[in-house]
Amino acid sequence: MIQASSLELRQHKKLVTVWSITFLILFPVLITFGLLMRMKQGEVLNIGHDTFYALMTLHGLGMAGVLFSIAWAALFYLIGTRYARLNIKVGYFIYFLVLIGTVELVIASLIGKFGAGWYLLYPLPFKGANWASWATGLSIIALIVLGVAWLIGSLHVVYALSNKYGSFYKLMGWNYLGKKEPEQKLPSIVLITTASLVPAILSFLAGAVFLVMNLMQQFEPTLAFDPLLLKNLVFFFGHTLVNVTMYLGVAWVYALLPEYTKREWGVNKVVVLSWNGTFIFIMFAYFHHLYMDFAQPLGLHYAGQLASYFSAIPATVVTMFGVIVQFYHSKMKWSIIPMTFLIGMAGWAIGGFAAVVDSTISINKILHNTLWVPAHFHTYMLLGIVLFIFGFLFYLAYCNSEERNDPKPGFGFWTFVVGAFGFVLMFYLGGMNSVPRRYSDYVAIESGNVHHTGALLAKIAAVFVGIILIGLFTMYGSLFVKLLKPSKANS
Ligand code: HEM
């Protein structure tokens, strides 16, 4: 632990507030793009296919990027004020890089109509695309800027932690595996941050290779790369980024929940083994996205299924068990913050289970590229990490325990949760009825009832998105005022 000075606390609080306000503005905008997509699929809104795909690309990249960025910023605050000294200037530098990358992406999608989807499936953006070539180039540059920002940000945090705790060996808790108790205790947030950010750094490097190859292709159209290699690189990057975002949220739940339950949630052999397991398996689980790629070596498909099972089980099971131990008979007050953590854990477990189902090869043959896929990742993002983020934001905004027990945001929170479960349920039902993903509408599908069912479910989903927005803006009523009010920092 470190003792941050009041100046350091104020500087950190200001930086994290800037990040938080930016997140609170961008999040409903990105949800609105999702609403427009569901309305188009439900045939109640007439926008062109090119607009749909531009919105889908901006929504997917935007959500993944915004959530990783705010999760990183939350940890930058918690680590920088409690566990290791971080350079506040680096924090602002990352913020401005992320802002530049985001503006570039918005221009490329909304003006240039770049619509290749989040993973820019090579060579799709360069072959017969119906958007301007400059939009492809600008999107690639935007992603490079974002990737550089996240890489520097992650390296800075891991470097500061290893300076404070001695070595990577200690950061990963390996000194807990011997017979003797380590002299210096390792906070769980530090272990989980390391086990998440190191694979993230590797995935950013893979993403950099992918993006530079794409940039070369943009400038020299006669080049031809191996599409399977590029698909592996981009899925390693994207899949790891989303998983790591989830784990960063889990990291602060380990740190903050004990303040409510008044029970320690420390590191021991089991916690070390589980997060070390996740550290390894998280890097191989993405193979489950390539089952349909017949040219991929068969062994990697099996590796993908096993890694998906193993990456989900240790950290999830150990964390869920820890959460139960934290809450059981704890006599704490059920205020908004522990509530967001509890329901967020449920969202992570439900979405994670649906992901494991889909990563099972025999089931994936049926569910592949149906709405089941957006169903599972929307569950653990919208009802998992997003709730953890709101838990953190309320923690940040409410300066003392009296405020933290404020019952007002409860209505907004439950409205959000009901809307979000209804919204993802329509995706699951779509998947079970063979409604394909990434279709701007289902009009041309002649098989069975897919067209009718897909459009109906999309219409109902749009209503639930409206409920989500009502819940969100109700929570904003409590959050914005408190966040903008000059106040003492939490420490
Ligand atoms: C209420 C909130 C949200 C709504 C209404 C929404 C809506 C949608 C819709 C309609 C699609 C297209 C599905 C398809 O037909 O394939 C989609 C895709 C996607 N969404 Fe969301 N979403 C929401 C929240 C989120 C969140 C929190 C994330 C966080 C990562 C996210 C990430 C994505 C991604 C990565 C895609 C895939 C884009 C692609 O295929 O290129 N969404 N979303």
Side-chain angles (χ1 to χ4, degrees), residues 10 112 115 138 144 154 173 195 217 233 275 326 392 396 438 444 487:
R10 257 186 286 123
L138 187 60
I144 292 177
S154 306
Q217 180 78 62
L233 286 170
W275 284 100
Q326 281 286 310
F392 170 77
L396 189 71
R438 292 206 186 102
S487 62

Side-chain angles (χ1 to χ4, degrees), residues 34 38 41 59 63 117-118 377-378 423 437-438 465 468:
R38 275 326 240 158
Q41 290 169 330
H59 166 85
M63 279 290 191
W118 77 264
F377 69 75
H378 279 88
F423 164 69
R437 70 178 292 202
R438 292 206 186 102
V465 179
I468 291 178

Side-chain angles (χ1 to χ4, degrees), residues 141-436:
I141 292 170
L143 291 175
I144 292 177
V145 173
L146 290 170
V148 168
W150 297 331
L151 181 62
I152 298 174
S154 306
L155 283 171
H156 180 61
V157 172
V158 174
Y159 177 72
L161 287 176
S162 66
N163 265 351
K164 174 77 189 158
Y165 289 88
S167 61
F168 181 69
Y169 178 87
K170 288 185 182 162
L171 281 182
M172 289 299 290
W174 293 342
N175 50 345
Y176 276 81
L177 301 178
K179 283 196 183 116
K180 270 204 334 224
E181 272 280 304
E183 279 161 26
Q184 187 187 23
K185 282 207 169 180
L186 181 68
S188 39
I189 186 172
V190 173
L191 167 69
I192 302 171
T193 302
T194 312
S196 309
L197 285 186
V198 174
I201 289 167
L202 299 177
S203 80
F204 295 149
L205 293 175
V209 174
F210 168 82
L211 289 166
V212 168
M213 286 165 103
N214 272 275
L215 201 59
M216 287 163 72
Q217 180 78 62
Q218 172 78 6
F219 287 117
E220 183 46 71
T222 57
L223 285 173
F225 296 113
D226 179 353
L228 188 60
L229 170 67
L230 271 88
K231 193 169 175 186
N232 271 281
L233 286 170
V234 73
F235 268 97
F236 177 43
F237 167 58
H239 187 267
T240 311
L241 178 87
V242 169
N243 272 239
V244 163
T245 307
M246 185 74 227
Y247 296 147
L248 295 183
V250 173
W252 71 69
V253 175
Y254 269 74
L256 302 183
L257 188 55
E259 290 187 23
Y260 297 86
T261 58
K262 308 278 179 246
R263 285 178 181 164
E264 210 191 324
W265 197 359
V267 168
N268 55 35
K269 271 198 181 92
V270 177
V271 172
V272 167
L273 286 174
S274 72
W275 284 100
N276 274 266
T278 300
F279 171 81
I280 303 289
F281 296 124
I282 191 181
M283 291 190 273
F284 301 100
Y286 84 87
F287 286 135
H288 66 225
H289 285 282
L290 283 92
Y291 290 153
M292 294 294 153
D293 294 274
F294 58 86
Q296 181 91 330
L298 189 64
L300 295 186
H301 294 324
Y302 293 127
Q305 172 160 336
L306 292 174
S308 307
Y309 278 49
F310 292 138
S311 79
I313 292 166
T316 319
V317 170
V318 169
T319 304
M320 298 299 157
F321 187 73
V323 169
I324 294 168
V325 172
Q326 281 286 310
F327 281 120
Y328 188 69
H329 281 197
S330 74
K331 297 200 179 96
M332 51 150 232
K333 275 213 167 132
W334 283 98
S335 66
I336 183 78
I337 297 163
M339 205 54 128
T340 55
F341 292 162
L342 180 66
I343 307 295
M345 284 292 164
W348 178 30
I350 298 167
F353 178 73
V356 169
V357 168
D358 191 34
S359 71
T360 309
I361 294 174
S362 54
I363 299 178
N364 189 276
K365 278 186 193 161
I366 297 156
L367 292 179
H368 190 86
N369 268 358
T370 65
L371 286 180
W372 188 273
V373 182
H376 83 252
F377 69 75
H378 279 88
T379 311
Y380 59 66
M381 296 313 276
L382 193 58
L383 283 147
I385 180 67
V386 167
L387 294 188
F388 295 158
I389 289 169
F390 275 100
F392 170 77
L393 294 180
F394 277 111
Y395 182 84
L396 189 71
Y398 288 5
C399 292
N400 53 48
S401 51
E402 212 170 284
E403 282 189 340
R404 284 177 199 158
N405 290 329
D406 178 10
K408 276 203 287 302
F411 171 75
F413 170 72
W414 286 113
T415 311
F416 181 93
V417 169
V418 169
F421 270 114
F423 164 69
V424 294
L425 179 64
M426 296 308 122
F427 270 157
Y428 283 112
L429 293 176
M432 287 163 66
N433 283 282
S434 303
V435 180

